[in-house]
Amino acid sequence: MGRWQDMSGEELEEQYSPSRWSPRLDPDAVIEAHEEALRAGTQRARTTTHALLHVPYGHGDGEKLDVYLPADPSGTFPVLVYIHGGYWQCLSGVYLCGHSAGAHLAAMVLSTDWAEYGVTPDIKGAVLVSGVYDLEPILHVYVNDALNMSREVAQRNSPMLCLTGAVPAAAACEVLVAMAQYDSPEFRRQSQEYCQALRSAGWTVSLLDLAGVDHFDVIEKLSQDSYILTQVILNMISRA
């Protein structure tokens, strides 16, 4: 496949529309199934954990998070911060896990020079699933109709362009970049190139190509104990 710059507008629209690439269901149905899977998983989590819902971390209506604690929260335990996807619009010892646009946000956390803010987050690991790490192609597809990003904004917020060789957290943080077999070629290219860029910048990083899953069930299956990505995340946490 050639560079994204050589693609027509129609080709880019297709590449950055993950629902068109699922072999399981048609585009509308796979999104509906994904939303239902997330609702069901959330409900299961709320019935099996001690849940603190809609905790504000800012002043905006969308600046809230849900906290799920063990049923018996005594003792110490790792924290996994999950950032959902939805092209930054839909679905509204520390470890990061992000899916799709959520993987972009998690990658931006890794790219931030936290010394400027007077803090040193102890991020032990990050799992980036089917993410977008270079936003410039997004300028040319339907997603930007709502985002209205300029080229300067896209470049400033592209993890691929924010890496340096002197990231203090690089040595301590283990990064897993995961992609689905049925992600579009552009999504797969972005994962592969971002993984290589992290490695070149001195990060401890590995690439996981997950067979038999698309852009949506690649993350839905985390509720299954036997799913390889579930096992990889648990192993990453247990090694800390």
Side-chain angles (χ1 to χ4, degrees):
M1 187 182 70
R3 302 184 311 160
W4 70 263
Q5 293 92 336
D6 300 326
M7 296 180 187
S8 68
E10 184 177 346
E11 288 172 323
L12 277 174
E13 292 278 355
E14 183 174 15
Q15 290 289 327
Y16 286 94
S17 299
S19 60
R20 300 188 189 184
W21 293 86
S22 173
R24 298 181 294 136
L25 299 165
D26 66 50
D28 289 338
V30 77
I31 291 175
E32 291 176 4
H34 182 59
E35 292 176 344
E36 176 55 34
L38 295 183
R39 282 193 293 269
T42 298
Q43 187 57 41
R44 285 196 301 274
R46 290 179 179 179
T47 59
T48 58
T49 66
H50 177 59
L52 305 176
L53 305 180
H54 314 305
V55 178
Y57 62 86
H59 301 294
D61 289 339
E63 295 179 301
K64 296 181 175 65
L65 52 82
D66 295 338
V67 180
Y68 298 90
L69 300 171
D72 178 11
S74 61
T76 60
F77 49 84
V79 176
L80 175 71
V81 179
Y82 174 70
I83 307 174
H84 62 70
Y87 269 138
W88 310 280
Q89 303 166 69
C90 307
L91 304 170
S92 338
V94 175
Y95 294 82
L96 294 175
C97 180
H99 170 236
S100 196
H104 160 267
L105 294 175
M108 287 301 292
V109 172
L110 299 182
S111 301
T112 299
D113 183 1
W114 291 103
E116 294 184 7
Y117 302 92
V119 296
T120 306
D122 187 18
I123 301 173
K124 299 292 189 181
V127 180
L128 311 176
V129 184
S130 296
V132 181
Y133 310 106
D134 176 6
L135 300 189
E136 192 164 352
I138 300 297
L139 297 175
H140 307 281
V141 302
Y142 72 97
V143 177
N144 205 42
D145 292 345
L147 299 176
N148 197 29
M149 285 189 297
S150 66
R151 177 163 279 100
E152 187 277 330
V153 168
Q155 292 177 343
R156 175 160 45 87
N157 290 281
S158 290
M160 187 82 75
L161 304 179
C162 298
L163 291 172
T164 68
V167 181
C173 181
E174 177 184 356
V175 182
L176 173 68
V177 178
M179 61 185 183
Q181 178 180 354
Y182 298 113
D183 270 326
S184 75
E186 267 292 284
F187 269 83
R188 289 174 61 83
R189 175 192 67 80
Q190 289 226 12
S191 290
Q192 291 165 337
E193 293 187 2
Y194 185 58
C195 180
Q196 184 55 51
L198 284 170
R199 186 173 291 118
S200 298
W203 290 77
T204 301
V205 59
S206 55
L207 180 68
L208 179 61
D209 192 350
L210 292 156
V213 290
D214 59 36
H215 189 82
F216 303 95
D217 60 350
V218 69
I219 201 73
E220 295 167 11
K221 288 178 179 288
L222 280 180
S223 61
Q224 302 175 8
D225 292 340
S226 60
Y227 181 43
I228 184 172
L229 186 56
T230 306
Q231 292 298 317
V232 168
I233 292 173
L234 292 175
N235 287 337
M236 175 187 287
I237 292 173
S238 68
R239 290 196 299 269

